Amino acid sequence: MSVRFIETCRLPTPFAEFEMHGFEETETGQEHVVLSLGDISNGEPVLARTHSECLTGDALFSMRCDCGYQLEEALKSIADEGRGILLYLRQEGRGIGLLNKIRAYHLQDRGADTVEANERLGFAADLRDYSMCKGMLEHLGVSKLKLMTNNPRKVKALGDFGVEVVTRVPLQVGKNPHNEGYLSTKADKLGHWLKTHQDDEPQE
Ligand SMILES: Nc1nc2c(ncn2[C@@H]2O[C@H](COP(=O)(O)OP(=O)(O)OP(=O)(O)O)[C@@H](O)[C@H]2O)c(=O)[nH]1
Ligand SMILES: [Zn+2]
């Protein structure tokens, strides 16, 4: 998916004053943003997060998932390092969209897990495509990442587009009684590197 750069502006936050860069997918018009901090184009690996949109977790404080906690932790880590990027990808509901995610949550309220709910609605477990990251990273002059994620598919997808993931930085925060089942399904069915029990080491 190719992207067109639109504009950059300042984005002050409680963590740091970021720059926000807006992009548009040329084929679909889908909009994405990147927050950046510091000199990211000097060739040194950049601390990075590719964050998939989750309106419920990122903006509405939902405890059903770990997204909001991960977003905050990633921005804090970038601020602590004084340098980094967060790609905020508009792939709500692993690509099925907000209203279908509500349909999936409805099924989960009645006992389905996160993967079964998608399948019952006729979707694959994960529809996300990360190809738009390539153009955004190229525009920003970034080719090497220290990627904050627990998702092996993200690491592989970026590698397939020629982006070098130098290190994978675990991002395991926000576990609570409401998302325990969700997190263990991610580990068991989607292959996420997650510590599912208190004393476990994450599977890698
Ligand atoms: N379809 C569906 N999407 C969900 C559900 N819960 C969260 N999401 C979406 O899942 C995406 C986040 O994916 P996750 O699997 O939590 O994490 P990840 O991005 O694959 O991996 P990390 O980089 O480790 O966070 C966001 O787009 C959320 O909106 C759910 O129950 N069903
Ligand atoms: Zn979420």
Side-chain angles (χ1 to χ4, degrees), residues 51-58 62 64-68 70 92-93 101 105 182 186:
H51 191 86
S52 301
E53 178 176 9
C54 176
L55 181 84
T56 46
D58 298 340
S62 169
R64 293 189 77 126
C65 59
D66 53 350
C67 305
Q70 289 182 310
E92 176 60 70
K101 188 172 82 169
Y105 277 168
Y182 170 77
K186 287 210 297 187

Side-chain angles (χ1 to χ4, degrees), residues 102-121:
I102 294 174
R103 290 190 173 105
Y105 277 168
H106 176 79
L107 294 174
Q108 290 171 51
D109 289 342
R110 279 154 183 72
D113 70 32
T114 179
V115 170
E116 290 162 352
N118 259 38
E119 287 167 352
R120 276 189 217 168
L121 293 170

Side-chain angles (χ1 to χ4, degrees), residues 6-47:
I6 303 297
E7 194 49 281
T8 293
C9 68
R10 287 186 315 112
L11 193 76
T13 73
F15 316 113
E17 179 166 316
F18 294 92
E19 279 193 292
M20 181 162 74
H21 314 274
F23 295 88
E24 182 182 66
E25 287 183 9
T26 47
E27 287 114 278
T28 64
Q30 180 65 276
E31 299 170 341
H32 305 282
V33 294
V34 180
L35 303 192
S36 73
L37 184 69
D39 180 5
I40 53 170
S41 61
N42 63 5
E44 291 297 311
V46 175
L47 185 63

